Amino acid sequence: MPSSTGPSIDTITEGGRVTQVGEGQEAEETAPPVMTFGAPTAGEILAERYELVEHINNDSAGRLVWRGVDVVLRRPVAVVLRYPGGDSATEMLQAAVAASRVIHPNLVGVYDAIDEADRAYVVREWVDGQSLRELVTADGPLDPARATAIGNAVASALAAVHATDMVHGNVHPGTVMISDDGRVVLADARTDGADSQENDLRAVGGVLYFALTGHWPHEEAPLHGATAGHGRAAIPDAVRDAGGAIAAPRQVRAGVPAYLDDLTMDLLDPEIAPPSSDVLAAELGRLDIPADEHFLNQAGPLRFTADAEEEPSPLAAAGGRKVALGIAGLLAVALVGLLIGISALGGNDKDPKTEPVAGPTGSAQADQPTQPAAARKLRVEDVRIIDPDSRSRNELSDAEKVIDGNEDQGWETDTYNGPKFGGLKKGMGVWIDLGGEHTVKSVKAVLSANGATAQLYTGTTDPGSSSSGDKKLYTEYVTAKSRIGDGFAPAEGSTLIFSNGFDPDKKYRYLLFWLTELPSNDRGYKIGVQEITVQGS
């Protein structure tokens, strides 16, 4: 009988390091030969459970990578086989067990590891999609918002790995996978003695640089020569000056925000100590901005100078615009006052020549837009809980209590072992259908405790109440960057109020109140949403 070394076995990993073979996305040009004796065939079922469907390719260690199906759970899987099994496969199997213990939505999941003596194989999650390398090669550099979101996902995955004192050791554009539904996952972790958590963090800077420019910033090729099976030259080198220094992203292309440019270059600078992976993930999450932000600076031509004039930050630029608008407003008020004063000085003079002086004031008043209707509490037609990463549907009840007018009862999450849902989920949300399009003024959420973080999103469709519907909704609302404004501002106690991002000329029907961080209590991290009210007309 085959012996399983799956996730339940207590196996010690060397030096606290995790290694995970690839899905064939990153084969080297000269992979070692693979034994063909007893080679698997399509249709074969391994361990009476995993049916082999299609041979994809061989990974960089010469292991065979197959697309398969778990015939018990009816889900697609990747099967990575090695010949022979036994002692020669011990490291691979132990590494798979270690990898299976790190569960995170931005890491490829490991399901099983089995040794049959003549061969051994690891069964893991199958990802339908493409690598970041493939995406950028095909479509060109990404917009800053999408690059930031991908960097955030990679840093979050590393935070989960580093929390267990392990190292990924293979972060580069070929191992960052973007699934067809928008999920970003980090795959193919493997390390040797030279790898460190700091190298992982430097590699995040490389991923950001590549996403923004289409170039690889390190003089060496990505670790292990991993360039998606097309050799070390598959990723273009960064633009460099005569001394070998790389050009900053915003020198290579227009539209890169200064703060994202600075963060990327700091991560690549060996003289600057990188932050921890959890701090980096939090910072990238804070910088995760909508794709159409208007303050993205247009950089000039390439330049290599250490004393280039410092460009103003986006906040300074925004402040400058506000000052300019304020001055313009004061000038307009002064002009109206001057016109009124001239009219008053005219007294009872009935000379027709004086009539046009007072005319503009009356005309301006006539052209004033009508006052908008007074805001009122809008009726909510439908409400439900959105949980795109759930493997069970235990937290989806009691959604109606969020809009029942009773703040003493509501919906609540499960208890997690970390503020970001224990690393198991991207977040959870409350989806609201106003029943028709309305002008929205504000949204107020009354929570059970202080310290939660939330965003507000909007969309145009109702994908239906199902697990697949939740994923579609997440993709349309959250992944597509349909965020409204900058998030909720804290009000009294545990109340969150959002009122600074609605477009007065736009109508809204569907809203998504999206929780991203949970507050702690004496047992873990959880929150209750007691009541949500929407004001508008």
Side-chain angles (χ1 to χ4, degrees):
M1 292 292 292
S3 60
S4 172
T5 56
S8 62
I9 285 186
D10 186 14
T11 305
I12 299 175
T13 56
E14 298 181 10
R17 293 180 280 111
V18 58
T19 301
Q20 188 178 336
V21 297
E23 290 179 353
Q25 299 292 338
E26 310 307 326
E28 290 187 21
E29 288 182 285
T30 56
V34 179
M35 295 178 60
T36 58
F37 176 75
T41 58
E44 183 179 356
I45 297 180
L46 306 179
E48 300 180 350
R49 178 167 185 172
Y50 306 110
E51 179 181 359
L52 299 179
V53 177
E54 178 187 10
H55 176 224
I56 303 303
N57 58 15
N58 299 345
D59 75 358
S60 58
R63 290 162 285 202
L64 278 70
V65 183
W66 280 73
R67 177 171 62 87
V69 174
D70 182 337
V71 298
V72 175
L73 298 180
R74 304 307 304 170
R75 65 180 174 184
V77 294
V79 183
V80 185
L81 298 102
R82 182 186 182 94
Y83 295 80
D87 292 341
S88 65
T90 299
E91 181 181 356
M92 178 186 81
L93 297 173
Q94 289 181 343
V97 173
S100 71
R101 293 173 178 162
V102 186
I103 300 174
H104 190 275
N106 299 119
L107 285 171
V108 169
V110 177
Y111 302 145
D112 210 346
I114 297 174
D115 184 13
E116 293 181 344
D118 60 331
R119 62 186 177 186
Y121 43 92
V122 173
V123 182
R124 67 182 212 175
E125 177 184 5
W126 176 265
V127 179
D128 279 321
Q130 58 185 330
S131 69
L132 176 63
R133 183 200 64 80
E134 293 168 326
L135 177 65
V136 173
T137 300
D139 300 335
L142 307 183
D143 64 75
R146 193 172 188 192
T148 301
I150 289 174
N152 182 25
V154 173
S156 297
L158 289 176
V161 173
H162 293 175
T164 62
D165 295 324
M166 293 189 287
V167 176
H168 186 279
N170 195 25
V171 180
H172 59 80
T175 56
V176 177
M177 303 294 297
I178 296 93
S179 69
D180 292 339
D181 63 0
R183 177 181 168 220
V184 178
V185 291
L186 186 57
D188 198 21
R190 53 193 178 197
T191 182
D192 54 40
D195 291 314
S196 65
Q197 292 188 1
E198 178 176 337
N199 287 344
D200 280 349
L201 292 162
R202 302 290 186 199
V204 177
V207 167
L208 284 170
Y209 191 96
F210 176 78
L212 292 168
T213 67
H215 296 268
W216 185 245
H218 301 295
E219 291 186 351
E220 74 280 5
L223 299 180
H224 306 285
T227 53
H230 299 288
R232 293 172 179 262
I235 298 179
D237 186 27
V239 178
R240 301 177 186 273
D241 64 8
I246 63 173
R250 66 201 316 244
Q251 293 176 310
V252 177
R253 61 173 291 207
V256 178
Y259 54 82
L260 183 58
D261 184 273
D262 290 342
L263 175 60
T264 301
M265 295 302 288
D266 286 350
L267 288 171
L268 297 173
D269 188 344
E271 301 298 322
I272 300 177
S276 62
S277 50
D278 56 343
V279 171
L280 177 59
E283 177 65 8
L284 286 167
R286 185 182 69 82
L287 297 180
D288 195 353
I289 59 173
D292 59 351
E293 283 288 3
H294 58 277
F295 56 68
L296 302 184
N297 289 345
Q298 299 296 313
L302 285 175
R303 58 188 187 279
F304 298 99
T305 172
D307 57 354
E309 182 180 351
E310 183 72 14
E311 296 191 40
S313 70
L315 292 179
R321 282 191 298 275
K322 291 178 181 178
V323 171
L325 291 173
I327 293 174
L330 289 175
L331 289 174
V333 171
L335 178 59
V336 172
L338 177 61
L339 293 174
I340 294 174
I342 294 174
S343 176
L345 289 174
N348 294 324
D349 188 358
K350 300 299 182 179
D351 187 343
K353 294 179 182 179
T354 64
E355 292 297 328
V357 176
T361 303
S363 174
Q365 291 173 345
D367 291 339
Q368 289 293 328
T370 58
Q371 292 296 320
R376 58 181 175 84
K377 180 180 177 181
L378 299 178
R379 181 178 180 274
V380 175
E381 184 73 22
D382 188 19
V383 61
R384 62 176 181 266
I385 307 305
I386 302 300
D387 190 8
D389 296 313
S390 178
R391 297 182 181 179
S392 66
R393 310 296 283 173
N394 297 329
E395 296 172 272
L396 305 186
S397 59
D398 297 330
E400 68 282 353
K401 294 180 180 179
V402 173
I403 58 169
D404 63 359
N406 183 359
E407 296 183 2
D408 294 330
Q409 62 179 12
W411 163 80
E412 62 181 12
T413 68
D414 286 343
T415 299
Y416 294 86
N417 62 4
K420 294 189 175 181
F421 294 86
L424 300 176
K425 302 177 181 180
K426 308 177 191 72
M428 291 185 71
V430 180
W431 180 84
I432 293 172
D433 178 5
L434 298 175
E437 294 188 341
H438 294 270
T439 299
V440 178
K441 301 296 184 182
S442 67
V443 173
K444 182 174 76 170
V446 178
L447 308 181
S448 61
N450 298 332
T453 301
Q455 303 287 344
L456 193 67
Y457 294 87
T458 186
T460 59
T461 60
D462 174 2
S465 57
S466 65
S467 177
S468 61
D470 283 6
K471 292 179 181 179
K472 291 178 181 177
L473 188 143
Y474 176 83
T475 299
E476 177 185 346
Y477 287 58
V478 182
T479 305
K481 305 297 180 187
S482 298
R483 188 172 69 186
I484 305 173
D486 298 322
F488 284 81
E492 297 180 1
S494 57
T495 300
L496 300 178
I497 295 180
F498 184 96
S499 59
N500 63 348
F502 291 105
D503 185 344
D505 297 324
K506 182 177 180 180
K507 302 287 187 179
Y508 301 84
R509 174 172 177 174
Y510 303 119
L511 301 173
L512 176 63
F513 173 79
W514 184 251
L515 288 162
T516 55
E517 291 192 33
L518 307 175
S520 62
N521 56 32
D522 56 352
R523 292 176 296 172
Y525 295 80
K526 80 181 293 186
I527 194 64
V529 181
Q530 308 303 107
E531 194 73 17
I532 294 180
T533 55
V534 182
Q535 295 281 334
S537 59

